[in-house]
Amino acid sequence: MATTNRTKLSNLYGNWAPGSPLTSADLAARSISADLAVHYVRAGWLTRLARGVYCRPNDVLQLHPCLLLLERTIDGLHVGGKSSLDWYGVRHYVSQQPVLQLYGWTAAKLPDWFTERFPAEYHRKRLFDEIPGALLHVGPFEKRVGAARVSAPERGFLEVLSEVGVRQPLKEARELAESGYGLRADVLRELLQRCTSVKTVRLCLQLGGELSLPWAKKLDPSHLPTGSARAWVSRSSDGLLVLKP
């Protein structure tokens, strides 16, 4: 029995990428039962991060494999907002310790083992008419194999705008808009047409026009969900925000 268990452990290590956490289901798929996993933890051959989550002893966890694991448990989880813009080089300034912005469809709490290693915030948001299994313009970062899902810059920009008046300063949103000179009009158009937030649509059009951004000239407001012909007013942390109809 001991020889069998050591063979299983050897096979596990041989097919376990460093920096990647595994769940109890992952271990079971490798013929390692819950009882055997407990034995490995007690023997120091596995480290238990939380109930049902394990890593190699003294392993340094990597961000992308950890996000891939969370994607399996939180519907629609992806890197978005300011973090997705930062990943794609659309930024006004670089924070020394940026907080990772994660979005998803369901109410959820990020596990402590994750946030202790990767400072992050999770937001439940349904900004577009879509389904969690087929998010609009969300995919593996730079289409890399094994990369976490991230919003395209255009979606990330709209996710930022959706937070204005809530937790996002308007001044910073404007600065990010200035940095988004190269955003794709066709992608923005598709996202705006399926956007469920009138405020977000109006703010995108207004900032694009005020800053004379090239993509703004290619968007026809009459074909976008801008709501009623009344001004939309909100008080943000850095002043009164008035959005034109």
Side-chain angles (χ1 to χ4, degrees):
M1 180 67 70
T3 300
T4 301
N5 289 345
R6 286 183 177 275
T7 299
K8 289 182 178 180
L9 182 65
S10 178
N11 290 336
L12 172 65
Y13 275 18
N15 295 283
W16 190 350
S20 303
L22 292 180
T23 65
S24 296
D26 297 325
L27 296 179
R30 293 164 171 78
S31 301
I32 297 174
S33 66
D35 289 341
L36 186 53
V38 170
H39 171 67
Y40 286 165
V41 170
R42 290 173 177 171
W45 296 327
L46 281 181
T47 295
R48 183 176 179 272
L49 297 171
R51 183 177 180 179
V53 184
Y54 305 88
C55 69
R56 291 168 174 259
N58 302 314
D59 198 9
V60 177
L61 293 179
Q62 301 299 310
L63 176 59
H64 282 267
C66 292
L67 286 172
L68 290 176
L69 186 147
L70 295 183
E71 287 175 11
R72 291 155 53 186
T73 60
I74 302 177
D75 282 347
L77 183 80
H78 64 281
V79 177
K82 286 187 290 187
S83 292
S84 60
L85 292 175
D86 182 62
W87 283 24
Y88 281 109
V90 181
R91 59 175 73 94
H92 181 68
Y93 63 87
V94 180
S95 174
Q96 291 183 345
Q97 292 183 322
V99 176
L100 186 66
Q101 302 296 312
L102 299 175
Y103 292 82
W105 263 57
T106 56
K109 180 182 182 298
L110 298 175
D112 291 341
W113 64 264
F114 180 83
T115 56
E116 287 167 0
R117 293 165 174 81
F118 311 104
E121 295 177 352
Y122 174 78
H123 309 289
R124 177 184 178 272
K125 184 173 290 293
R126 300 187 180 185
L127 186 58
F128 305 99
D129 180 15
E130 59 186 353
I131 58 175
L135 298 179
L136 294 169
H137 296 286
V138 171
F141 180 57
E142 296 183 337
K143 299 182 180 180
R144 299 178 189 172
V145 176
R149 291 186 300 192
V150 57
S151 293
E154 294 78 12
R155 180 180 176 123
F157 175 57
L158 296 181
E159 287 169 337
V160 168
L161 297 187
S162 73
E163 302 285 356
V164 172
V166 183
R167 61 179 65 88
Q168 171 61 53
L170 175 59
K171 181 176 182 293
E172 185 184 19
R174 179 182 292 275
E175 291 167 347
L176 287 170
E178 290 177 326
S179 300
Y181 186 88
L183 294 181
R184 297 165 293 179
D186 57 333
V187 175
L188 274 173
R189 183 182 302 107
E190 179 184 3
L191 289 166
L192 290 170
Q193 286 172 342
R194 297 175 65 176
C195 185
T196 59
S197 167
V198 169
K199 177 197 74 175
T200 301
V201 175
R202 289 192 184 184
L203 186 53
C204 176
L205 294 172
Q206 188 161 316
L207 289 178
E210 290 176 358
L211 298 171
S212 299
L213 298 172
W215 48 261
K217 301 173 183 177
K218 301 177 182 179
L219 299 176
D220 183 352
S222 66
H223 294 158
L224 300 174
T226 56
S228 64
R230 295 194 309 172
W232 187 91
V233 182
S234 176
R235 185 171 296 280
S236 65
S237 59
D238 45 354
L240 194 66
L241 175 64
V242 180
L243 299 181
K244 303 171 184 176

